[in-house]
Amino acid sequence: MERAAAAAGPAVEGGGVNRRAVRAASAAAGAGSRQPSTEALDSPTGSHVEWCKQLIAATISSQISGSVPSEGMSRDYREIQDGHNGYHSEAEPDQALRDGNKLAQMEEAPLFPGESIKVIAKDVMYICPFMGAVSGTLTVTDFRMYIKSVERDPPFVVDVPLGVISRVEKIGVQSHGDNSCGIEIVCKDMRNLRLAYKQEEQNRLEIFENLVTRAFPVSNGLPLFAFSYKEKFAVNGWKVYDPIVEYKRQGLPNESWKISKINSTYELCDTYPAILVVPTSVKDDDLSKVAAFRAKGRVPVLSWIHPESQATITRCSQPSVGPNDKRCKEDEKYLQTIMDANAQSHKLIIFDARQNSVADTNKAKGGGYESESAYPNAELVFLEIHNIHVMRESLRKLKEIVYPTIDETRWLSNVDSTHWLEYIRMLLAGAVRIADKIESGKTSVVVHCSDGWDRTAQLTALAMLMLDSYYRTIKGFEVLIEKEWISFGHRFAMRVGHGDDDHADADRSPIFLQFIDCVWQMTKQFPAAFEFNELFLITILDHLYSCLFGTFLCNCEKERLKEEVSTKTVSLWSYINSQLDEFTNPFYVNYENHVLYPVASLNHLELWVNYYVRWNPRMRPQVPIHQNLKELLAIRTELQKKVEDLQREAATRSISSSSDRGSSPSHSATPVHTSV
């Protein structure tokens, strides 16, 4: 990511995980010559907070510039630095050597705990599409690619997590003097990077080979960096989601639904979680037969239950009907049981996310959908949402029009031609229909697509967000992601391609990105209904790709258990929940029991510029929005404290007045009026 770093930034306050590592751009610019706190910068949490803000809040142009002290440097890094400067560290340096060392230190890459430098190259040219060519020092670690140029004031920095890289290619560079070799880096987060360097530098340092090896560790037999990352946080994010606790919050188990451990060894369905909620009356043998009839064994299981009507959202995969209209009496009885569990309605709505024509094609291949003749009390509704390949192509088109240049004269028509917002609209419209059937129709619904881990997750999670205010809190949203996406087997590794160099893999698709975009659209329409802010959503997306945390690794719960993800990596929620004020919406009002119905119309949707176009400096607001929100949050906290103090004072006076009246009935007490 491109950013400028102030030559002298403000001191970093405090200690521990809630330490502020970065102030507002205005504060940094006006800090004079105060030096950063060495202790804070060397702190794991301090360094991480700094990096994340620089990566995410692209509006911040001035950052802390202090270098990591040498004692905080990895051993590998010191050896490489000594080797490249051509001297031994124990030698007494002269003035020129001190100056050279000072310059090298200024260009050092900050390191996370567990991160090590693999290669350093000087005089590498970053060809910035907005500022022109910038020469600096390139550092490749096992986590990031870092370029820093101290020739500019303030210094210019490009800091890119290797996990966001989709493709690395050699290119020819003709117009940059001696820098005759080039690399083009295509990223998953809507930007491309170009580097140029001398031919002999390539041979000596093998820049290209190191980038490829470290950007695609899985393809090169190496572990993802998340397994090396050693940051310590005060909060354990792996404890955010406990399925038993979440189902208990929903009032489960009850007389109609039970918590089942039939999948405790993942034999019923290897992509489902170990703990499932199924109808009480269903026997395990029948459930196994239903699993055999459903694609990938993904039987209908409960996601959410309405606290009053008992109408439910259940999710599954398509039935294996095939071209011969095969039937399964256990599956038919199972769906009838789901309907019977809701006494408010004598109907079951099955929302098939796919296009009707695609479902017919799947039927010819052995899949299919529920016929109303086999399921007489069910109504089948096709939501006509396109498949993963269409979504991938739509995002590709969107990237073409937002990076690196924007055609202002055709902006609206170009956005429209990508169909991205149309697909967002279709997802929101489908989720609104599901939520409305539950809330207004008091009717239970079944949601599926083909395999039940892409469009199904999008729809169930969005509908639950609309129906349940708990999921609109920070912790609740984390639980929603852990539950509907991670535990129920959205194939994150396959859809994102963590550490895999096969950029043309047809299984890659921005399914989770679309979901977060839909959530952002809802926050725009209901700005006070969500406890979290925009930075929270962007942080989640950035770490979807970064491979810094273990939260989005692997394809299912069974794989994560095998890889010991929860014990060998850090959870993203550990980082977020250690500094909640960074991600809190100051306008939040807890609309408990309020159902949100966003307007799913293109007239009410907009392109998420702060995410998709954030790398273009011309599209950034002059005043950092996130900083304004933080200031408002501080004001809100201060006012809340004043209100609480006044309320306590009023209560004390009231008690005192009552006591006086009781002891002296002949004297009337003066009424107390409290104005807030």
Side-chain angles (χ1 to χ4, degrees), residues 520-532:
W520 180 81
Q521 301 288 346
M522 290 179 64
T523 66
K524 293 293 286 183
Q525 294 191 27
F526 303 97
F530 295 84
E531 187 184 20
F532 48 83

Side-chain angles (χ1 to χ4, degrees), residues 383-502:
L383 294 176
E384 303 293 329
I385 299 171
H386 295 269
N387 62 28
I388 62 170
H389 312 297
V390 172
M391 303 309 181
R392 180 179 61 249
E393 177 62 14
S394 178
L395 184 66
R396 185 193 65 77
K397 291 179 179 177
L398 182 61
K399 183 176 180 178
E400 283 185 352
I401 70 165
V402 301
Y403 192 91
T405 58
I406 294 172
D407 185 348
E408 298 286 355
T409 60
R410 297 184 177 86
W411 170 246
L412 294 177
S413 60
N414 283 344
V415 171
D416 183 61
S417 69
T418 69
H419 301 294
W420 184 256
L421 288 178
E422 172 61 17
Y423 299 144
I424 296 296
R425 183 200 68 78
M426 294 177 76
L427 284 171
L428 284 170
V432 166
R433 293 180 70 177
I434 293 168
D436 188 54
K437 283 294 179 185
I438 294 284
E439 179 65 24
S440 303
K442 297 179 171 55
T443 303
S444 293
V445 303
V446 174
V447 184
H448 71 71
C449 46
S450 296
D451 295 317
W453 52 45
D454 289 318
R455 287 165 285 191
T456 299
Q458 290 174 323
L459 292 166
T460 57
L462 286 171
M464 291 160 67
L465 195 66
M466 295 171 191
L467 290 163
D468 193 334
S469 61
Y470 170 69
Y471 297 126
R472 302 194 285 268
T473 66
I474 291 176
K475 182 183 178 183
F477 192 74
E478 293 168 355
V479 168
L480 182 67
I481 290 175
E482 287 281 349
K483 181 177 180 296
E484 289 302 294
W485 288 90
I486 297 172
S487 77
F488 273 103
H490 175 67
R491 299 166 78 81
F492 280 104
M494 187 169 286
R495 295 289 179 255
V496 177
H498 293 312
D500 189 347
D501 62 4
D502 186 7

